[in-house]
Amino acid sequence: MAHNQVNEVDELLKGLKKVPGFKSYLVLNGDGIVIRWDQGDGQMSYQSAVQHAHHITNLYNKSVASIQELFEDPHERHVENVRVRTEQYEMIISSMGSYTLAVFQGEPGNKDEESFYAS
């Protein structure tokens, strides 16, 4: 019976891939270990995904610590996501429970993807 159930995570990731400008995603566990990533047409290697995961985990943890230091009210101290925009792409990091999702996107119609995967 369980094999007939719809996997909500797979459905979410399929929906993300349909968004204009989507480039890639990473799913990390609570320790920052890559448990799933989109290879972006085979251009993002596992090594590159691990490097991104390391930097994403550090950035997210430092962002949360900084926000908690800045605001005294517990309702204002909650970080839902972190958004980083560069010349090459935009990265949205969201953490829920013990998992973190990082989505990379570029401008819709931007064909310059080689610089995104270069690391």
Side-chain angles (χ1 to χ4, degrees), residues 50-82:
V50 169
Q51 289 174 349
H52 278 85
H54 170 74
H55 296 299
I56 287 166
T57 302
N58 284 338
L59 173 66
Y60 187 80
N61 291 338
K62 288 179 182 180
S63 298
V64 169
S66 296
I67 293 297
Q68 290 179 349
E69 185 178 311
L70 286 172
F71 297 101
E72 294 178 13
D73 183 10
H75 300 322
E76 294 179 355
R77 295 172 64 167
H78 179 71
V79 177
E80 291 183 13
N81 60 52
V82 175

